[in-house]
Amino acid sequence: QVQLVESGGGMVQAGGSVRLSCAASGRTFSSYVMGWFRQAPGKEREFVAAITWSGGRTYYADSVKGRFTISRDSAKNTVNLQMNSLKPEDTAVYSCAADPSDYIRTYYRAWAYWGQGTQVTVSS
C-alpha cells in the first residue's frame, strides 16, 4: 500500500518561499514517477511539477517554471518542492502524487496514488 504524506505548507507573503516535502512509503519507488499538483478553490486540480525517481528527469508547468524546483531524496524516500518568488495565484492545496510509470503525465486522473494535501496561502 503506497502512502504519501505531505508537510511544509503554510502562509507566506508574496515574493517569499516555501518548501514542501512528501514522504513516500509502502513500495520501492525506483520505477515510479512522483509529482505535485495543486487545486485552488473553484478550480480543477492542475499539474505543477514531476520527477522520475530513477533518472531524476523533471518537468514543470509553465506557470511555475523558473520559480519552483522539484527534487527527490532516495535515501529518505522523499520528494520535495521548493517554491520561490511566490505569487497570490499560487495559493492552493498542494498534493503529492505517485504513479508506477517512467512517463510523466500532466492530467491528474492518470496518477495512481495521492497524499492528503497541504495548504499554501500566499498573501499580497
Side-chain angles (χ1 to χ4, degrees):
Q1 182 73 16
V2 173
Q3 285 191 317
L4 305 173
V5 180
E6 303 95 337
S7 61
M11 187 175 292
V12 65
Q13 288 190 331
S17 298
V18 169
R19 183 178 177 85
L20 303 181
S21 290
C22 173
S25 62
R27 293 284 169 85
T28 300
F29 292 94
S30 58
S31 60
Y32 275 61
V33 59
M34 308 294 293
W36 288 94
F37 288 75
R38 67 187 182 186
Q39 187 168 20
K43 295 188 176 180
E44 192 175 46
R45 185 173 290 182
E46 65 173 359
F47 173 80
V48 175
I51 186 169
T52 57
W53 197 277
S54 58
R57 179 167 48 94
T58 59
Y59 187 73
Y60 297 91
D62 287 342
S63 58
V64 306
K65 205 171 292 183
R67 301 188 297 123
F68 292 11
T69 302
I70 189 171
S71 62
R72 75 203 188 296
D73 185 331
S74 299
K76 297 181 179 179
N77 252 20
T78 58
V79 177
N80 304 306
L81 185 68
Q82 178 67 42
M83 305 188 293
N84 299 328
S85 302
L86 284 162
K87 305 173 181 179
E89 52 263 43
D90 293 318
T91 295
V93 174
Y94 284 73
S95 298
C96 178
D99 197 59
S101 168
D102 199 44
Y103 182 70
I104 294 176
R105 292 174 286 188
T106 60
Y107 186 46
Y108 70 93
R109 292 191 185 275
W111 291 65
Y113 303 102
W114 292 88
Q116 291 298 309
T118 185
Q119 177 71 44
V120 173
T121 302
V122 184
S123 60
S124 57

